[in-house]
Amino acid sequence: MSVPRGDREVEVIALRTAAADIVEIELAARGDAALPAWEPGAHIDLILPTGLVRQYSLAGDPASPTWRIGVLREESGRGGSRWIADRLKPGALLRIAGPRNHFTLPGHAVGDAAPLVFIAGGIGITPILPLAAQARAAGRDVTVHYCGHAGRMPFVEELRGLHGSSLVLHISEERARLDVDAVTAEAASRGAEIIVCGPARLHDAVAQAAEERGVVVHGERFEAEPLSAPMWSGPFEVELALTGVTVTVPTDRSILEVAEEAGALVLSSCTEGTCGTCETPVMDGVVDHRDSILTPAQRQRNDTMYVCVSRAACPRLILEL
């Protein structure tokens, strides 16, 4: 797997406890360099000294000269968050790649754009924080629903300062759990769109309730959607246009694996269809999209795919690899 090498080095200038098991990390450019511009919803690849690559949403103000990310320490994870929580110190230097953004604010018009209902669960608040701030600054009608456990919900005071009474907290220990049906019904009555980020069960519940009421949902998943049976059940050919070879992808291997074996350079990271690193232009053929990133409309365009999980829905694809 060709992981992102990291096109710049950043310095850890502060670490703060944002909530139980959640650390807020502030990053700065080195020397006189400036950090790249970014839009709300963007994430970066953090390349740890251990070789692990992890994706974290930028949670601060795009106008700030520094970046903020929030990291949840996950005991059952693959080790990246534990290393950050236990070993990362101020002054440390890290390589990063990005920012990349697959989670931009829907709509552009001010005043006549649809109201927006943001729903965040746990650490899913990190991309929602700047997205909701951007929407409010643009004059959009914004409501933020934030779900979590007492003591484990970062940025609450910052959100209160931005949204006031339009922020609704759903704290499990206070028996104030999110009523998904009620929130989606209200969104439908107002012609609102929903933007959600959080655990898979939250996404699934919101998506089901919204579909029943015809509400448009935009979301970012930190966990991959379960894979269904492929649309094309047998092997298929993939022409790697830039590499100049055609390969056969068997049923038990990914396009990513076979393309790399044939000499194609494909950057990848999560291998689950959630990070977007292996995004590849499609030149011809029909794609069986199996990622957790593209919207239905983007899938319909059939002009890009994530080769770590997506496959062909036909005998042959031509990819810009």
Side-chain angles (χ1 to χ4, degrees):
M1 181 172 70
S2 300
V3 301
R5 292 175 297 177
D7 50 13
R8 71 181 61 244
E9 194 172 51
V10 296
E11 180 180 355
V12 177
I13 62 171
L15 292 100
R16 295 176 282 268
T17 299
D21 295 326
I22 297 175
V23 60
E24 180 187 348
I25 302 170
E26 189 170 1
L27 304 170
R30 301 211 60 212
D32 296 329
L35 292 172
W38 61 281
E39 289 287 324
H43 70 269
I44 58 172
D45 292 304
L46 207 60
I47 301 161
L48 304 180
T50 60
L52 291 173
V53 181
R54 294 293 179 265
Q55 292 75 40
Y56 295 104
S57 297
L58 293 170
D61 181 352
S64 172
T66 61
W67 286 347
R68 288 193 301 160
I69 59 173
V71 179
L72 169 65
R73 191 184 197 282
E74 296 185 274
E75 291 295 337
S76 60
R78 291 179 287 179
S81 65
R82 294 195 303 276
W83 189 94
I84 290 170
D86 298 342
R87 301 185 60 182
L88 192 63
K89 304 295 182 186
L93 302 179
L94 296 171
R95 302 294 298 180
I96 63 103
R100 290 193 302 275
N101 199 345
H102 303 287
F103 193 34
T104 55
L105 196 67
H108 301 286
V110 176
D112 60 349
L116 297 175
V117 176
F118 293 86
I119 301 175
I123 197 64
I125 194 62
T126 49
I128 294 295
L129 178 60
L131 281 167
Q134 181 189 37
R136 185 165 294 281
R140 303 287 291 268
D141 180 344
V142 171
T143 304
V144 180
H145 292 270
Y146 185 12
C147 317
H149 294 279
R152 302 190 67 186
M153 298 170 68
F155 312 125
V156 168
E157 292 309 312
E158 186 173 349
L159 287 159
R160 281 197 177 112
L162 287 167
H163 304 290
S165 61
S166 295
L167 170 68
V168 184
L169 299 180
H170 302 274
I171 303 173
S172 297
E173 290 75 9
E174 297 180 6
R175 297 184 179 181
R177 290 180 178 273
L178 177 72
D179 186 334
V180 173
D181 287 334
V183 169
T184 52
E186 182 186 9
S189 70
R190 298 169 55 217
E193 298 182 12
I194 292 176
I195 301 176
V196 59
C197 186
R201 63 183 182 277
L202 175 63
H203 276 266
D204 294 342
V206 171
Q208 180 177 342
E211 183 178 8
E212 292 172 357
R213 294 171 173 83
V215 176
V216 176
V217 175
H218 312 266
E220 180 173 67
R221 289 177 177 262
F222 295 150
E223 304 164 83
E225 294 186 62
L227 294 178
S228 57
M231 296 172 66
W232 183 268
S233 59
F236 55 90
E237 288 188 345
V238 178
E239 180 180 336
L240 309 175
L242 301 183
T243 308
V245 299
T246 297
V247 297
T248 298
V249 179
T251 57
D252 60 346
R253 301 189 70 194
S254 69
I255 295 175
L256 172 65
E257 293 172 315
V258 176
E260 286 191 318
E261 193 174 84
L265 175 62
V266 195
L267 293 180
S268 60
S269 181
C270 72
T271 68
E272 296 178 336
T274 59
C275 76
T277 306
C278 68
E279 183 174 3
T280 300
V282 177
M283 301 173 69
D284 193 35
V286 181
V287 177
D288 177 8
H289 294 287
R290 296 157 66 80
D291 62 90
S292 302
I293 300 172
L294 296 177
T295 65
Q298 290 169 330
R299 294 183 177 196
Q300 280 289 109
R301 293 205 298 265
N302 202 64
D303 58 1
T304 192
M305 70 182 298
Y306 298 96
V307 293
C308 64
V309 291
S310 294
R311 302 182 66 80
C314 60
R316 181 182 175 89
L317 293 175
I318 302 178
L319 303 181
E320 196 174 293
L321 286 176

